[in-house]
Amino acid sequence: LFEPAHGTPPRPLTIIASATGVPRGFYARFAEHLARHGRPALTFDYRGIGGSLREPIIESTARFRDWGVIDTPGVLTWAAAHAEGRPIHWVGHSYGGFALGLAHNGHIVDRLLGVATMTADLRFVQSWRERARIMALVSIGAPAIARVKGYVPGWLNGNSEDLPKGVALEWGRWVMTPQFLFGDHTLPERRHFTRVRAAIRFASMHDDTWLTDTGVRHLAGQFSNAAERSFWPVTLAEAKAERIGHIGFFRNAHAATLWPKALAWLDADPR
């Protein structure tokens, strides 16, 4: 929990939800930025990852769905008890952007900024080269290694955290399932997407090869009862950068360009 300076007027509590395999520490600079502007900010690790790994990773029973169905509601429950009546906002990176829709209590969030998040159906990727790369990595390579080693080493997907076997297997299956998790009929928690009433903005990086406009807009459509849905296509010129990619939005290099715009949208909450 990153706290503002003592005596700061109460502001919304902002929860920062990680991308797959990205540890909470990666978001510390962004959380500090929010705290400096009067917003308490909370980062956390999903089960089987970073500080939430309680056993040898080969013994972890975590599934991909558990991060949204179990961990996200747990974090929201904690936040509601500590927010002291303040609004709760959610900044979700990649997985973190749709995790809120799987939570039975996601309706308590007033504002959701989804960064590099989408319905990750492989069919939505137009480039056959990128489609082949993702399939080789997520749906073939990672599951095969998970079955042999009992987990997936973090270097394989470019992140710094190892993935539990159950996470990797379900991730690989969802990517190959039509409409991603929304096509998984063993996941009744899909219904919770319609309970989210937050104002939502989807930030998409121009050079993010994992992201597709079709996937972003499909995900937006699942939040069918959101107070509002808007889109922020982030260009390299806007960021004054040569590269942003899938995780770059949260790097300190964008503290003076992209972060103030994110904060301004969060601050637009009339409450």
Side-chain angles (χ1 to χ4, degrees):
L1 180 64
F2 296 79
E3 296 269 25
H6 182 70
T8 302
R11 301 289 304 284
L13 171 62
T14 305
I15 301 170
I16 303 171
S18 308
T20 303
V22 180
R24 70 184 188 276
F26 178 72
Y27 305 95
R29 294 292 182 87
F30 184 72
E32 290 169 350
H33 179 82
L34 295 180
R36 282 195 300 272
H37 288 82
R39 285 175 165 266
L42 180 70
T43 61
F44 68 99
D45 286 318
Y46 306 114
R47 66 187 56 219
I49 296 292
S52 294
L53 180 61
R54 305 302 189 196
E55 63 281 305
I57 194 166
I58 61 172
E59 297 178 11
S60 174
T61 59
R63 300 171 299 173
F64 206 37
R65 69 182 65 195
D66 293 338
W67 295 352
V69 174
I70 304 174
D71 298 344
T72 296
V75 170
L76 286 171
T77 298
W78 186 94
H82 289 76
E84 299 177 341
R86 292 170 294 180
I88 296 174
H89 292 175
W90 188 271
V91 175
H93 181 204
S94 196
Y95 184 99
F98 59 76
L100 186 69
L102 292 172
H104 66 84
N105 54 353
H107 62 279
I108 71 174
V109 170
D110 291 275
R111 223 156 174 81
L112 161 60
L113 176 63
V115 178
T117 187
M118 68 171 183
T119 299
D121 181 346
L122 194 64
R123 296 156 189 79
F124 292 160
V125 180
Q126 294 183 348
S127 167
W128 68 267
R129 290 181 182 274
E130 185 64 15
R131 195 182 310 142
R133 187 182 74 85
I134 295 172
M135 182 168 64
L137 175 64
V138 178
S139 298
I140 298 176
I145 291 175
R147 290 187 178 96
V148 173
K149 294 181 67 68
Y151 73 100
V152 176
W155 58 261
L156 185 69
N157 61 11
N159 297 322
S160 59
E161 291 294 311
D162 299 337
L163 293 181
K165 177 180 177 180
V167 170
L169 293 180
E170 191 159 54
W171 185 19
R173 183 166 61 82
W174 278 1
V175 166
M176 296 299 293
T177 300
Q179 299 188 21
F180 194 52
L181 68 88
F182 303 105
D184 186 342
H185 299 292
T186 71
L187 186 67
E189 291 82 6
R190 295 172 300 166
R191 68 184 185 274
H192 297 318
F193 277 82
T194 61
R195 301 188 65 201
V196 175
R197 300 291 193 272
I200 307 177
R201 170 158 289 192
F202 297 89
S204 305
M205 311 318 121
H206 178 72
D207 64 335
D208 185 351
T209 58
W210 281 79
L211 216 62
T212 68
D213 185 65
T214 302
V216 173
R217 292 186 178 273
H218 184 274
L219 178 60
Q222 309 311 306
F223 291 102
S224 56
N225 289 313
E228 65 178 67
R229 287 168 290 177
S230 61
F231 301 90
W232 177 17
V234 181
T235 65
L236 296 179
E238 180 181 9
K240 298 180 181 179
E242 295 182 358
R243 186 175 185 276
I244 308 173
H246 192 63
I247 68 172
F249 182 95
F250 294 96
R251 296 193 187 281
N252 200 49
H254 305 301
T257 53
L258 302 182
W259 294 3
K261 295 182 179 182
L263 181 61
W265 183 80
L266 291 170
D267 282 344
D269 188 337
R271 297 196 297 170

